[in-house]
Amino acid sequence: MAKSRKTVDVADSYAVRLMQHLVVPTFVIDPKRRVVIWNRACERLTGVGAAEVIGTSKHWQAFYETKRPCLADLVALDRPEQLPEYYSEYAARGHNGLGFSAENWCVMPKLGSQLYLAIDAGPIHDEAGNLIAVVETLRDLTDQKRAETALKELATKDGLTGLSNRRAFDQMLLGEWARAQRTQKPLALLFVDVDHFKLFNDQHGHQSGDECLRAVAAVVSRHAVRPLDLAGRYGGEEFALILPDMDCDSACMVAEAIRCAVMTLAIAHGATGAGDHVTLSVGVASHIPGSADDSPDRLLGAADQALYVAKRLGRNRVICAEQVLAEFAALGQKAVPAPVRRKSA
C-alpha cells in the first residue's frame, strides 16, 4: 500500500513538473476555484508571475480589469448558460468531462495591451466522479484575428475613399430598415452628388478627380457621428449617408452642413458650364416603414428623386423628398420627372 501511495505521489509530481514546462500557457484551479498551477508559459503570456496567483482566486486579474469569471470558473461552477454573457465565441462541449471552449479579447492589464485568446477549459474528476480540478489552456490568436479583421475591412471599404463600399452600405441599409420597422422610428437617407464631376475630370485630370472625391468623402464621413450612422461611396462621384432615428428636417440640417463644408474647402473647378468651386447636390428622404414595406426601395426612390430635383433646379442645393412636389409646383409643373428608380440589393 505504501509503495502504491509512493507511486501515485511520484506520478503526481511528474505531471505537475510536466505541466509547468508545457509550452502551452496553462493554469489549473481546484474545486474552490483557487489556482494550484500557473505554468511558465502562462507567466510569459500574461506577465503575471505564479507567486502572485497561486493559492488565490485572483487569476481573472491577469486577463481583465474588472472582476469576472474565467472559462475555468464556469466549468467549475458548471454554468454553460453563462457562456454568452462573457464570450463572443463559445462552445459547451457537453458534460462527461469535455468542458467548454471560447474565444474573446482580453485586456491583459499587466501587459498594457489586448490579446485575442482561444481558451479551452476541462474538468478533472476522481474515480468517484468528484471534481478535483479544472485545467485551462490558452492560445494567442491576436495576429490571426487582426489579419481577419483587416481582410473584412478590405471587403467592406471603398479603396479610394475609405468609406463603406456599395455592398456594405446596402447590407447596413437593409438592417436599419428592418430595425426602423420594428421600432417605428424614422430612417433618413442622403444621396450626395458632386456637381459637374465629369467636367472637373476633363478640366483637371483623374488624379485631381480622385483627390476631390477623397476630400468630399472626408466631409461626408465627419457627419456620420452617431454609432449607427453610416457613410458610403454609392458609386462614381455619388455618396450616401444612412441616418437612423432621424426625421427629414434634421436630416436636411445634416445635408446642408455637408454642402456648406465642401464649399468651405474651395476646391477649384472652373470648367465651362460649372462654377468656380466644387459644389454638391443632396437629396434627402426619411420614412417610417410600415408593415407592408418589405424593403427600403421606397426610401431609395424618394432620396433619388430629391437628388434629381436638386440638380434640375440648378445644383448646389439640398432638397428633401417632402419638398419635391412643392418645388416643381412653383415652377408650374404638375408632375415630377422621375429618374431611374433605385432598388436595394
Side-chain angles (χ1 to χ4, degrees), residues 195-200 203-204 268-279 315:
D195 295 328
H196 299 296
F197 186 70
K198 183 179 184 304
L199 295 178
F200 183 93
Q203 177 86 357
H204 300 282
H269 198 311
T272 303
D276 293 336
H277 298 102
V278 169
T279 60
R315 297 182 170 85

Short mmCIF file of all heavy atoms in Angstrom, two decimals, residues 195-200 203-204 268-279 315:
data_model
loop_
_atom_site.label_atom_id
_atom_site.label_comp_id
_atom_site.label_asym_id
_atom_site.label_seq_id
_atom_site.Cartn_x
_atom_site.Cartn_y
_atom_site.Cartn_z
N ASP A 195 -21.30 67.99 -58.08
CA ASP A 195 -21.82 68.66 -59.28
C ASP A 195 -20.76 68.75 -60.38
O ASP A 195 -19.60 69.08 -60.12
CB ASP A 195 -22.30 70.08 -58.93
CG ASP A 195 -23.49 70.07 -57.99
OD1 ASP A 195 -24.31 69.13 -58.07
OD2 ASP A 195 -23.60 71.01 -57.17
N HIS A 196 -21.18 68.46 -61.62
CA HIS A 196 -20.33 68.59 -62.81
C HIS A 196 -18.98 67.88 -62.63
O HIS A 196 -17.93 68.41 -63.00
CB HIS A 196 -20.07 70.08 -63.11
CG HIS A 196 -21.30 70.87 -63.40
ND1 HIS A 196 -22.11 70.61 -64.50
CD2 HIS A 196 -21.87 71.91 -62.74
CE1 HIS A 196 -23.11 71.48 -64.50
NE2 HIS A 196 -23.00 72.27 -63.44
N PHE A 197 -19.03 66.65 -62.10
CA PHE A 197 -17.77 65.97 -61.82
C PHE A 197 -17.05 65.53 -63.09
O PHE A 197 -15.82 65.55 -63.16
CB PHE A 197 -17.99 64.77 -60.90
CG PHE A 197 -16.71 64.12 -60.45
CD1 PHE A 197 -15.87 64.78 -59.56
CD2 PHE A 197 -16.33 62.88 -60.93
CE1 PHE A 197 -14.67 64.21 -59.16
CE2 PHE A 197 -15.14 62.30 -60.53
CZ PHE A 197 -14.31 62.96 -59.64
N LYS A 198 -17.81 65.16 -64.11
CA LYS A 198 -17.16 64.78 -65.38
C LYS A 198 -16.38 65.97 -65.96
O LYS A 198 -15.25 65.82 -66.44
CB LYS A 198 -18.20 64.28 -66.39
CG LYS A 198 -17.59 63.79 -67.70
CD LYS A 198 -18.65 63.30 -68.65
CE LYS A 198 -18.02 62.72 -69.92
NZ LYS A 198 -17.13 63.69 -70.61
N LEU A 199 -16.99 67.14 -65.86
CA LEU A 199 -16.31 68.35 -66.34
C LEU A 199 -15.05 68.61 -65.50
O LEU A 199 -14.03 69.08 -66.03
CB LEU A 199 -17.24 69.55 -66.28
CG LEU A 199 -18.48 69.52 -67.20
CD1 LEU A 199 -19.33 70.77 -66.98
CD2 LEU A 199 -18.06 69.41 -68.66
N PHE A 200 -15.13 68.33 -64.20
CA PHE A 200 -13.96 68.51 -63.33
C PHE A 200 -12.82 67.60 -63.77
O PHE A 200 -11.67 68.03 -63.87
CB PHE A 200 -14.34 68.21 -61.87
CG PHE A 200 -13.22 68.43 -60.89
CD1 PHE A 200 -13.10 69.64 -60.23
CD2 PHE A 200 -12.30 67.42 -60.62
CE1 PHE A 200 -12.06 69.86 -59.32
CE2 PHE A 200 -11.27 67.63 -59.71
CZ PHE A 200 -11.15 68.84 -59.07
N GLN A 203 -11.30 68.83 -66.94
CA GLN A 203 -10.54 70.07 -66.74
C GLN A 203 -9.24 69.83 -65.98
O GLN A 203 -8.20 70.40 -66.31
CB GLN A 203 -11.40 71.08 -65.97
CG GLN A 203 -10.72 72.39 -65.64
CD GLN A 203 -10.82 73.40 -66.77
OE1 GLN A 203 -11.36 73.08 -67.83
NE2 GLN A 203 -10.28 74.58 -66.56
N HIS A 204 -9.28 68.99 -64.94
CA HIS A 204 -8.14 68.88 -64.02
C HIS A 204 -7.43 67.53 -64.05
O HIS A 204 -6.37 67.39 -63.44
CB HIS A 204 -8.61 69.15 -62.58
CG HIS A 204 -9.21 70.51 -62.40
ND1 HIS A 204 -8.47 71.67 -62.29
CD2 HIS A 204 -10.52 70.91 -62.32
CE1 HIS A 204 -9.26 72.71 -62.14
NE2 HIS A 204 -10.52 72.28 -62.15
N ALA A 268 -11.03 74.28 -56.39
CA ALA A 268 -11.18 74.98 -57.67
C ALA A 268 -11.80 74.07 -58.73
O ALA A 268 -11.38 72.93 -58.90
CB ALA A 268 -9.84 75.51 -58.15
N HIS A 269 -12.83 74.56 -59.42
CA HIS A 269 -13.45 73.83 -60.53
C HIS A 269 -13.17 74.62 -61.81
O HIS A 269 -12.19 74.35 -62.51
CB HIS A 269 -14.95 73.67 -60.29
CG HIS A 269 -15.57 72.60 -61.12
ND1 HIS A 269 -15.39 72.48 -62.47
CD2 HIS A 269 -16.42 71.57 -60.77
CE1 HIS A 269 -16.06 71.45 -62.94
NE2 HIS A 269 -16.70 70.87 -61.91
N GLY A 270 -14.00 75.58 -62.15
CA GLY A 270 -13.72 76.49 -63.24
C GLY A 270 -13.94 75.97 -64.63
O GLY A 270 -13.69 76.69 -65.62
N ALA A 271 -14.46 74.73 -64.78
CA ALA A 271 -14.75 74.22 -66.12
C ALA A 271 -15.93 74.97 -66.71
O ALA A 271 -16.81 75.45 -65.98
CB ALA A 271 -15.04 72.72 -66.06
N THR A 272 -15.96 75.05 -68.03
CA THR A 272 -17.07 75.73 -68.70
C THR A 272 -18.38 75.03 -68.37
O THR A 272 -18.50 73.81 -68.49
CB THR A 272 -16.86 75.70 -70.24
OG1 THR A 272 -15.60 76.33 -70.54
CG2 THR A 272 -17.98 76.44 -70.94
N GLY A 273 -19.36 75.80 -67.90
CA GLY A 273 -20.64 75.22 -67.52
C GLY A 273 -20.74 74.91 -66.05
O GLY A 273 -21.80 74.53 -65.56
N ALA A 274 -19.60 75.07 -65.33
CA ALA A 274 -19.60 74.84 -63.88
C ALA A 274 -19.20 76.13 -63.17
O ALA A 274 -18.78 77.09 -63.80
CB ALA A 274 -18.65 73.71 -63.51
N GLY A 275 -19.32 76.15 -61.86
CA GLY A 275 -18.93 77.33 -61.10
C GLY A 275 -17.44 77.36 -60.83
O GLY A 275 -16.67 76.52 -61.32
N ASP A 276 -17.02 78.32 -60.03
CA ASP A 276 -15.60 78.48 -59.72
C ASP A 276 -15.08 77.36 -58.82
O ASP A 276 -13.91 76.99 -58.89
CB ASP A 276 -15.35 79.83 -59.03
CG ASP A 276 -15.61 81.00 -59.96
OD1 ASP A 276 -15.52 80.81 -61.20
OD2 ASP A 276 -15.91 82.11 -59.46
N HIS A 277 -15.96 76.84 -57.96
CA HIS A 277 -15.55 75.83 -56.99
C HIS A 277 -16.48 74.62 -57.03
O HIS A 277 -17.62 74.71 -57.50
CB HIS A 277 -15.52 76.42 -55.57
CG HIS A 277 -14.55 77.54 -55.42
ND1 HIS A 277 -14.94 78.86 -55.41
CD2 HIS A 277 -13.20 77.53 -55.30
CE1 HIS A 277 -13.87 79.63 -55.28
NE2 HIS A 277 -12.80 78.85 -55.21
N VAL A 278 -15.97 73.51 -56.51
CA VAL A 278 -16.75 72.27 -56.44
C VAL A 278 -17.91 72.45 -55.48
O VAL A 278 -17.73 72.96 -54.37
CB VAL A 278 -15.87 71.09 -56.00
CG1 VAL A 278 -16.72 69.87 -55.66
CG2 VAL A 278 -14.86 70.74 -57.10
N THR A 279 -19.09 72.01 -55.90
CA THR A 279 -20.29 72.07 -55.06
C THR A 279 -20.97 70.70 -55.04
O THR A 279 -20.63 69.81 -55.82
CB THR A 279 -21.28 73.14 -55.56
OG1 THR A 279 -21.66 72.81 -56.91
CG2 THR A 279 -20.66 74.53 -55.53
N ARG A 315 -28.57 72.72 -59.14
CA ARG A 315 -27.45 72.15 -58.38
C ARG A 315 -27.08 73.02 -57.17
O ARG A 315 -27.69 74.04 -56.92
CB ARG A 315 -26.23 71.90 -59.27
CG ARG A 315 -26.47 70.87 -60.38
CD ARG A 315 -25.21 70.65 -61.20
NE ARG A 315 -25.36 69.51 -62.10
CZ ARG A 315 -25.92 69.59 -63.32
NH1 ARG A 315 -26.38 70.75 -63.76
NH2 ARG A 315 -26.03 68.51 -64.06
#
